[in-house]
Amino acid sequence: MTVCSAPGKVYLFGEHAVVYGEPAVPAAIERRARVTVEPRADDRVRVTAEDLSLDGFTVEYGGSTGGRPNVDVPTPLVEAAMGYVDAAVRQARSAADAPDAGFDITVESDIPLGAGLGSSAAVVVAGIDAATRALDEPLDRRDLADRAYRAEFEVQDGQASRADTFCSTMGGAVRVEGDDCEPIDAPNLPFVIGFDGGAGDTGALVAGVRERRERYRFAADTVRSIGDIVRAGEELLAGAVPEADPSRELLAELGDLMDFNHGLLAALGVSARSLDAMVWAARDAGAHGAKLTGAGGGGCIVALDPDTETPTALSFTQGCEAAFRAELATEGVRVEAP
Ligand code: MEV
């Protein structure tokens, strides 16, 4: 039995624009998906998702990847989750040159599904790592990140960047621009997350941005402007002391850029009433900045606030199901049991 875990992430800056070659800076957070893999004597795959939860958001099902799980969450989310596990299995089989390898797989996660916190990337990264280790063919981190990206790319019909999977593999903050992925230093940012209890359809949201970008020159300019925000954010991070508490001035400057980034994402059509409400509640409570994180359409926002006001205000905001603080996860994927 091999158990690996991998963290979720928030986007400090740059989601969506990263799909078109602009840079992005995601940061891993201490919410993890854990995948347990036991090789089988036959070529079948059995998946059990024991607890994909975040305060009242629970899925329980079991069965082969071809079966219909019995769950109380929207079927598209479950189908999406199963699609990612299937793609991870294909990558692990191919990496280990074991096309007929069968597995019993258990997924547990405290990252809400499809909510912008990188749940699918964490499951895919932890799943490929655990399955290849179970077959005695462990991958180095760069190869693992690459395999995980290919799995996401396949499930998302070719509309995925390397950002989520690279960040989940490496941990900490990373910079991604096309195929160029590097860990970067970051201070200890005081992330606060607000979750509306819902999820966006990543494929549809990415397709919507693509359509607007192709149709309107100003939408293409908006995507480029997000790239400018990311470059400005990177400069700020490069001047900060790694892993130390950031100054109020730095938080204010990063927060300004996050606010700007949210406005541009809203202009591209990927925000939602619930996300805007949480963003404004955070700002009104004194957060240094707030933006949606991930594909949008529903799910989570991320704000910067070292004090207690923002989580408290979010917990009283209509439409906010959960508000919590998230630590930067300095460790990426890791083996929990060999
Ligand atoms: C989704 O978490 C982030 C997007 O930028 C898509 C991607 O980068 O693959 C919307």
Side-chain angles (χ1 to χ4, degrees):
M1 189 185 79
T2 308
V3 188
C4 290
S5 79
K9 58 104 223 332
V10 292
Y11 271 89
L12 201 47
F13 311 110
E15 55 273 88
H16 282 288
V18 68
V19 176
Y20 309 101
E22 297 295 340
V25 176
I29 56 167
E30 266 315 335
R31 288 250 162 189
R32 287 182 170 263
R34 277 165 298 281
V35 180
T36 303
V37 173
E38 182 76 53
R40 289 170 63 109
D42 58 21
D43 64 355
R44 293 177 60 82
V45 176
R46 184 176 194 280
V47 182
T48 308
E50 288 204 329
D51 181 20
L52 307 182
S53 70
L54 180 82
D55 296 347
F57 187 103
T58 301
V59 185
E60 282 186 21
Y61 63 90
S64 75
T65 53
R68 275 181 64 82
N70 173 22
V71 288
D72 61 353
V73 293
T75 315
L77 274 185
V78 176
E79 280 174 3
M82 296 299 276
Y84 286 108
V85 174
D86 266 352
V89 166
R90 278 194 292 279
Q91 286 298 331
R93 283 174 168 161
S94 144
D97 200 12
D100 298 325
F103 305 100
D104 284 332
I105 298 174
T106 304
V107 181
E108 298 163 83
S109 175
D110 49 19
I111 313 167
L113 293 177
L117 299 184
S119 55
S120 57
V123 167
V124 166
V125 167
I128 297 176
D129 201 23
T132 48
R133 285 176 188 279
L135 296 173
D136 253 345
E137 295 284 347
L139 296 168
D140 72 36
R141 284 186 169 221
R142 293 256 170 194
D143 286 344
L144 174 60
D146 184 56
R147 289 273 178 188
Y149 161 66
R150 285 197 250 162
E152 279 220 322
F153 189 85
E154 187 189 314
V155 181
Q156 289 171 205
D157 288 332
Q159 307 197 91
S161 74
R162 293 180 181 270
D164 292 26
T165 39
F166 187 74
C167 185
S168 187
T169 307
M170 298 298 175
V174 304
R175 177 191 196 276
V176 172
E177 185 170 6
D179 290 340
D180 199 4
C181 305
E182 291 303 331
I184 59 172
D185 286 335
N188 189 18
L189 292 169
F191 294 128
V192 179
I193 297 188
F195 175 41
D196 71 2
D201 178 337
T202 301
L205 290 152
V206 172
V209 172
R210 182 180 299 279
E211 208 179 287
R212 284 190 180 85
R213 183 176 163 272
E214 280 164 8
R215 183 150 173 213
Y216 301 118
R217 210 183 57 201
F218 47 82
D221 290 344
T222 303
V223 167
R224 275 193 290 275
S225 297
I226 291 177
D228 291 339
I229 290 174
V230 181
R231 282 179 278 273
E234 278 178 70
E235 268 182 44
L236 291 175
L237 292 175
V241 183
E243 289 178 37
D245 287 343
S247 66
R248 296 256 163 190
E249 293 71 37
L250 175 63
L251 289 176
E253 285 186 279
L254 287 171
D256 255 1
L257 295 176
M258 289 169 73
D259 286 342
F260 215 129
N261 196 161
H262 180 77
L264 296 184
L265 287 167
L268 289 171
V270 298
S271 192
R273 188 184 288 266
S274 56
L275 299 177
D276 288 342
M278 292 191 287
V279 160
W280 277 106
R283 290 175 186 162
D284 287 347
H288 292 283
K291 62 182 278 294
L292 67 84
T293 172
C300 291
I301 65 130
V302 57
L304 289 184
D305 188 354
D307 305 319
T308 54
E309 279 83 352
T310 298
T312 306
L314 283 172
S315 66
F316 288 108
T317 302
Q318 199 180 5
C320 178
E321 286 273 317
F324 53 92
R325 214 164 253 303
E327 297 286 315
L328 185 74
T330 47
E331 216 182 343
V333 65
R334 68 177 178 229
V335 179
E336 304 283 351

